[in-house]
Amino acid sequence: MAICDKCGGEIEFRYVGRASAASHRRWAYANEVTLDFSRPGKPTDNGFIEAFNSKLRSECLNAHWFMSLANAREKLEDWRRHYNEERPHSAIGYNVPIAMHYPDGITSPSS
């Protein structure tokens, strides 16, 4: 997790190897971003992403067979739209997330 004052929020990084971690550290330093790492084996350090991962797995990944990469992209995009544009979230007063960003009812652009 990185806290970025310039971009006004948090940025999450997933490290694949040492090379990508080093490039992220250089980028963070150059852009005055503070890196904040969760401890290995401590999912409670970032409960938000753990809850999201659980919902993604149970509501999408375990609910579908993906017959091709195109099919997986289509089903994941459908789930993403439902999650962000139709499904109320208790954490934001049972509102739909997109309504918090676009109160005039504008939907997200097509991918």
Side-chain angles (χ1 to χ4, degrees):
M1 183 71 67
I3 309 301
C4 181
D5 291 332
K6 288 183 179 180
C7 39
E10 298 177 347
I11 303 169
E12 177 142 351
F13 293 113
R14 291 271 169 139
Y15 296 122
V16 178
R18 293 177 189 252
S20 65
S23 65
H24 284 132
R25 282 194 304 273
R26 283 192 299 274
W27 175 87
Y29 179 78
N31 290 281
E32 300 174 16
V33 171
T34 304
L35 297 177
D36 180 21
F37 298 99
S38 58
R39 299 168 293 168
K42 303 290 182 185
T44 55
D45 282 355
N46 193 350
F48 169 79
I49 198 63
E50 294 300 323
F52 173 80
N53 287 344
S54 175
K55 288 177 180 74
L56 173 63
R57 178 161 303 285
S58 67
E59 296 174 10
C60 186
L61 301 178
N62 290 345
H64 298 287
W65 286 92
F66 301 107
M67 305 310 284
S68 66
L69 183 57
N71 180 253
R73 285 180 176 149
E74 179 183 336
K75 288 176 179 173
L76 285 163
E77 176 61 14
D78 289 345
W79 182 84
R80 185 198 65 80
R81 285 186 178 273
H82 172 73
Y83 187 84
N84 289 318
E85 298 175 11
E86 299 168 14
R87 181 177 182 263
H89 293 246
S90 61
I92 54 175
Y94 292 95
N95 290 309
V96 178
I98 199 161
M100 304 298 287
H101 292 284
Y102 302 106
D104 297 331
I106 299 170
T107 60
S108 64
S110 298
S111 302

